[in-house]
Each structure stands twice: as C-alpha cells, then as structure tokens.
Amino acid sequence: MVKNILVFSDFGIDDIVAAMYAYFSEEIEIVGIVADYGNVSKADAVRNATYLQRLTGREDIPIFGGAEIPLTGMKPQFYPDVHGVEGLGPISPDIDIEDAFENFDEIKKIIEKYSGNLIIVNIGRLSSLATAFILYPALMKKVKDFYIMGGAFMVPGNVTPLAEANIFGDPYAANILINFAPKPIHIFPLNVTMHAIITPAMVNDLHNYYQSTNNKVGLIIKPLIDYYYAFYKKMNPAITGSPIHDLLTFWALTDNSVVNYIEAPVTIIISGGDAFGKSVGDFRKVADKADYPVHKIATYFHYPAFIRSFISTMKNLNF
Ligand code: RIB
Ligand code: CA
C-alpha cells in the first residue's frame, strides 16, 4: 500500500536527492512539505523546495514554512561547505519567493485529512516538528508513525565529536520528540546513514542514462552529489562515495524488512558542554534500564537492496 508522507526538511543536497527518490518511488506519496532552517536558512529551504516542485512538475504538493530558528534561542549555523551557499551545491535556482510562508498551521489540515494513515519523515532539525507537538498535542496522536534522520549512538558525531547535525542544531526540540512522541520513533542515526554510500561510479552511470534519455530532472543529480562528495572526500580521503543520509530514511519506508532496529531507552543531552546535543541510548544488558522513553534505532540495513532500489527508482523518473 502506498504510504502518505508529510516531510520536514532543511533542503540541502542529501535532502533533495531523498525527496526526488520519494517523488518517484511507487511506494511513497508525498502529501506535504515543511521547509525549515538547518543546512540553509528557512528562506533558502523554501526556495529549494519550490525549485524541486517546479522541476518535477509536482506543484500540487503543498509547501509549508517551518521554523526559522531553534528552540534553544541560539543563532542557527548553516553549512555552505557541505551543501553549497544556497543548499544545492553549484546550482543556483533563479526563483524569487515573495511569500513569507508563514502558513505552518496548515499542516493541521493534512494531518486531519490523512488521520491514522500519515507518516511524518523528519530529515532536518526538529524545531518545526517539536513546535507541532507543543501546539497540537492531540492532533499529533493521529500520526501513524515518525521516521527521523538524526543522532549518533556510540559512534562519532559529525558536527562535534559527540553530536550529529540534526540533533545538535536543536537538542531541545529533539528531546520534545523523544519524550512526547505517542509511539516509538524510527531513528536513523549516523551509525547506519554513514554507510548509505552512493559512489561516483553509480552517479556517473545515472548521469549517462539521464543524458541518453534527455531527462532534465535527473541531470541535476550529478552536480549535486559531486559537490557533496568533494566535501566528504576532503574530510576523509579514504571514503568511497557520498553518504546520502536522508535517502536511507525514505528508502527504509519502502522496505522495512531489510532494516534491523534495536529498541532502547533514548535521551538527548541538553546541558551545555562537550556533550551538548549528544544522543544517548541505554544499550546495557540489564533488566532495569534507564527510565527514558523507548525508541527504535536502526542498526543495520541491507546495502545491496538499498542500492538496487535507488538506481531503479531514479531511472524511472517520469516528467
Ligand atoms: O547529519 C546529517 C543530517 O544533517 C542530514 O539530514 C543533512 O541533510 C543535515 O540536515
Ligand atoms: Ca537534512
């Protein structure tokens, strides 16, 4: 059965690749997009979402403006080195966004419309989603499932030695989700997403295919991923490709049977200091574990199945 998805995203490169995969997957129906700050500013995220909407001809999918700043009260930090100044690597969309997109409350209509049959996928900071929990706690109980890219459990972080970007950007928001989600969240941390590697050979193969079929949607993939790969290669010369973090979260929705999860009590460190934003799971083999809410943390996925699905879905781009 097709899954209805409301996406919360900070629209950098891996977000855009993930969204394209989702648009063209037969198992996923995106029913709304919340664009918020994170990799880029909220204004850039809204513009990138609009760019993608126009490129793919899916202007029927509504865009909602999400958070502009985190609940921590700190100034957001953006990541042009990883995602490009505007979030699309070398691509600069020539689009003016006149509207301020202060329409976040309209997500209520979407949640009501798909009540009990809607999955929320959050692949950026958690500030907007946490705000929905603050404002509409009863409504959020109507969401069927939550899938989140974020965290690093017993592996290094990517923005500090201990913390991952989506959680570090707003750990207060992350804790709201961890503590108030009505059911266990499916969490995709760096433990698994760092292995969601798309190699240059795969990108080149896709690019040749898009050139031979004159597919203007697909032709943006190579410039995006090449830019992102250059960053990762500089950070780690031994890396064999680009970890497309957010893509893994969407792919898992299409076939959960090839993902392993561990259920564990989870908390986020919100006191200042070196551990700020660190995600902690109680993985001890004891009966009396920490009294944190239990969530599902992805620990393993079947890489060949992931790649097969990515390549075949991306070669079926219709426009
Ligand atoms: O840590 C990786 C995550 O941070 C991804 O979602 C990336 O797009 C950024 O938001
Ligand atoms: Ca993201």
Side-chain angles (χ1 to χ4, degrees):
M1 202 169 85
V2 174
K3 296 187 166 109
N4 300 313
I5 309 293
L6 176 61
V7 187
F8 288 63
S9 167
D10 55 346
F11 282 99
I13 291 176
D14 58 327
D15 302 76
I16 290 274
V17 174
M20 284 176 73
Y21 169 85
Y23 275 166
F24 297 104
S25 160
E26 280 166 11
E27 282 102 17
I28 296 174
E29 182 67 32
I30 296 188
V31 297
I33 294 172
V34 178
D36 48 24
Y37 85 93
N39 295 321
V40 290
S41 67
K42 172 192 164 184
D44 282 343
V46 166
R47 198 218 31 244
N48 292 350
T50 307
Y51 167 72
L52 188 63
Q53 209 191 27
R54 292 184 189 173
L55 185 73
T56 54
R58 292 301 311 269
E59 283 160 80
D60 55 309
I61 300 175
I63 296 174
F64 311 106
E68 196 162 314
I69 52 173
L71 301 182
T72 57
M74 294 171 185
K75 270 181 86 169
Q77 193 183 338
F78 307 131
Y79 293 89
D81 291 2
V82 192
H83 297 277
V85 177
E86 294 172 281
L88 295 174
I91 300 172
S92 181
D94 188 16
I95 295 175
D96 278 333
I97 303 294
E98 308 276 312
D99 190 336
F101 277 86
E102 293 187 351
N103 58 348
F104 183 67
D105 60 315
E106 288 175 26
I107 69 162
K108 289 164 73 179
K109 289 185 206 145
I110 299 277
I111 297 174
E112 288 289 4
K113 179 172 172 190
Y114 295 97
S115 185
N117 193 17
L118 177 74
I119 298 175
I120 287 186
V121 176
N122 197 118
I123 52 175
R125 313 310 183 246
L126 290 147
S127 318
S128 309
L129 186 52
T131 302
F133 272 86
I134 294 169
L135 296 175
Y136 324 125
L139 185 70
M140 297 312 279
K141 294 198 174 80
K142 298 184 178 175
V143 176
K144 185 176 172 197
D145 252 319
F146 296 89
Y147 279 63
I148 285 171
M149 190 281 131
F153 293 87
M154 299 197 299
V155 300
N158 58 0
V159 284
T160 77
L162 298 173
E164 180 278 332
N166 286 343
I167 305 287
F168 180 77
D170 194 347
Y172 293 4
N175 246 354
I176 288 174
L177 263 292
I178 295 296
N179 292 333
F180 294 98
K183 54 200 69 169
I185 299 170
H186 293 79
I187 303 175
F188 289 80
L190 294 179
N191 305 54
V192 282
T193 65
M194 278 306 292
H195 301 287
I197 293 282
I198 302 298
T199 66
M202 293 169 193
V203 172
N204 290 338
D205 171 58
L206 279 177
H207 193 66
N208 291 340
Y209 175 78
Y210 297 141
Q211 277 183 321
S212 69
T213 52
N214 192 26
N215 186 322
K216 69 176 179 3
V217 181
L219 284 170
I220 73 164
I221 289 288
K222 183 173 164 57
L224 287 176
I225 299 187
D226 281 356
Y227 186 97
Y228 186 77
Y229 179 55
F231 166 81
Y232 275 97
K233 194 75 183 163
K234 199 167 146 200
M235 296 297 288
N236 173 12
I239 206 161
T240 55
S242 311
I244 312 288
H245 306 280
D246 296 338
L247 171 66
L248 188 71
T249 313
F250 273 105
W251 166 74
L253 280 164
T254 66
D255 192 354
N256 240 333
S257 66
V258 284
V259 180
N260 291 355
Y261 297 92
I262 182 169
E263 297 203 5
V266 176
T267 193
I268 306 295
I269 306 289
I270 53 171
S271 51
D274 290 349
F276 186 67
K278 177 176 165 54
S279 43
V280 177
D282 187 350
F283 303 118
R284 292 176 298 168
K285 305 264 179 257
V286 295
D288 195 15
K289 294 199 186 206
D291 186 23
Y292 312 140
V294 172
H295 293 288
K296 294 183 177 186
I297 304 165
T299 52
Y300 164 84
F301 68 99
H302 192 259
Y303 181 71
F306 166 70
I307 293 301
R308 262 198 309 276
S309 169
F310 176 65
I311 300 290
S312 63
T313 303
M314 297 308 279
K315 282 193 175 174
N316 273 329
L317 296 179
N318 297 313
F319 65 99

